Amino acid sequence: MPVDIAVVGSCNVDLVVNVDSIPTVGQTVLGGDLKRIPGGKRANQAVAASRLGKSVAMIGRIGDDENGKFLRANLEDNGVNTEHLLKTPDIPTGVALISVQDDGDNAIVVSPGANGELSSEDIAEASPIARGQVVLLQAEIPIETVVAAARAAEGTVIWNPAPAPSESVPLELLDLVDVLIPNQTELELLGGNRKVDTLESISEMAKTFPCSSTIVTLGERGALVVASNEAVHIPAPTISPLDTTGAGDSFCAAIATSLVEGRDLVEAAQWAVQVGAATTLVAGAQPSLPTSDQVFQRLKDW
Ligand code: RIB
């Protein structure tokens, strides 16, 4: 069956604690009650794209454990096809430890578990990758698996290099990518660890990549679309975020759903900054992911 969006990547259980302020090295702080919620960058994107009205297949790995069952059930409840969500014996499902501080910013430590086992062989057997109109990739799985998925894709390839890869990125990957969506830190890392801050310097760095277009997410500054040697800045709505977890994920999903609908990159980014902002107004990675109607409602109610 053809699918609008094939999502390849991580599923985690998020263990979340709210704190006044994220602890520094050597510091212990007391926080609120522990919450256990579905997460993982790619699972968040799969659920976000489904809530935004598209057919979605998730390709990934979970453990043969309680957390894995919990995540599969959650994806299915959200209308995501899990036929290619594989069970990995003897390796636990991925877990993310998340602290969210009072201003909405977070710090995340991921234990990849089964996500780290997603292989090129798994990709070869996952038919939705070739059939997806858009294929969404990230970096919480081995980089060679990301490359294999980009090679197998026949539709538009979006790569969100999050979290910033610690190993060097094969040039071939950037060549295979149609739309690269880094945040500022990820952009700097891909650009050889040089610092950039002004819109002009961000745009100059993005133009050096071999992929056809780049959309840099800039938090409260919005996003910068760099394509065909031109840069367009899209400002973000002015809001006070409650929890920024998952905002980058819903942004990527909104770009993917817009491209399926035939919008151009600037229109896609205009929609995605609204979706990302609406996501920060509700707590938790997946509980916060809005439907299209909720995007307008939340921004209006704010
Ligand atoms: O982008 C937010 C996500 O990052 C969390 O859900 C967590 O699981 C990590 O993957």
Side-chain angles (χ1 to χ4, degrees):
M1 268 250 296
V3 65
D4 292 329
I5 300 170
V7 177
V8 184
S10 63
C11 300
N12 298 327
V13 166
D14 288 355
L15 301 178
V16 186
V17 179
N18 285 82
V19 289
D20 290 342
S21 166
I22 290 167
T24 54
V25 176
Q27 190 189 8
T28 302
V29 295
L30 295 183
D33 291 340
L34 178 72
K35 282 169 273 185
R36 174 180 179 261
I37 49 181
K41 292 191 191 301
R42 216 45 41 184
N44 297 343
Q45 295 185 4
V47 169
S50 179
R51 288 193 192 159
L52 292 172
K54 295 292 168 274
S55 65
V56 182
M58 171 84 205
I59 294 96
R61 279 197 170 268
I62 47 175
D64 188 5
D65 51 20
E66 215 28 66
N67 280 347
K69 280 191 202 128
F70 172 60
L71 296 181
R72 184 188 296 280
N74 171 69
L75 285 165
E76 288 170 0
D77 288 349
N78 279 284
V80 175
N81 179 320
T82 60
E83 206 183 318
H84 296 276
L85 185 61
L86 307 171
K87 263 198 241 169
T88 316
D90 303 327
I91 301 203
T93 297
V95 173
L97 308 176
I98 304 183
S99 313
V100 181
Q101 66 182 19
D102 274 354
D103 64 2
D105 277 342
N106 62 50
I108 305 181
V109 177
V110 175
S111 168
N115 296 308
E117 301 298 308
L118 189 70
S119 67
S120 308
E121 290 74 37
D122 297 334
I123 297 303
E125 295 189 4
S127 52
I129 298 177
R131 296 205 197 119
Q133 224 176 304
V134 171
V135 177
L136 255 173
L137 308 169
Q138 41 95 316
E140 267 178 356
I141 55 172
I143 196 81
E144 56 277 10
T145 311
V146 177
V147 176
R151 274 196 210 124
E154 288 178 15
T156 304
V157 176
I158 299 180
W159 186 41
N160 171 220
S166 51
E167 52 199 315
S168 70
V169 172
L171 258 191
E172 181 199 357
L173 178 58
L174 289 172
D175 250 335
L176 291 164
V177 167
D178 297 297
V179 186
L180 177 73
I181 311 184
N183 64 19
Q184 196 173 322
T185 315
E186 291 148 5
L187 175 89
E188 289 172 346
L189 203 118
L190 292 173
N193 256 329
R194 271 188 305 121
K195 291 280 166 216
V196 281
D197 191 40
T198 61
L199 294 180
E200 203 187 339
S201 59
I202 291 170
S203 147
E204 285 316 309
M205 182 173 276
K207 283 178 193 165
T208 62
F209 300 145
C211 50
S212 354
S213 45
T214 302
I215 304 177
V216 187
T217 58
L218 297 169
E220 61 189 20
R221 288 199 288 166
L224 189 72
V225 180
V226 184
S228 312
N229 239 15
E230 294 211 347
V232 180
H233 177 227
I234 316 287
T238 310
I239 49 159
S240 292
L242 179 71
D243 179 357
T244 55
T245 318
D249 300 330
S250 68
F251 182 97
C252 294
I255 296 288
T257 58
S258 298
L259 296 184
V260 168
E261 284 162 14
R263 300 191 206 183
D264 66 29
L265 280 184
V266 170
E267 290 169 327
Q270 280 163 340
W271 171 231
V273 293
Q274 308 287 322
V275 174
T279 303
T280 70
L281 296 174
V282 172
Q286 284 191 27
S288 67
L289 301 172
T291 61
S292 301
D293 290 346
Q294 285 169 340
V295 172
F296 298 117
Q297 198 54 49
R298 282 187 202 168
L299 292 173
K300 197 166 135 236
D301 291 347
W302 178 76

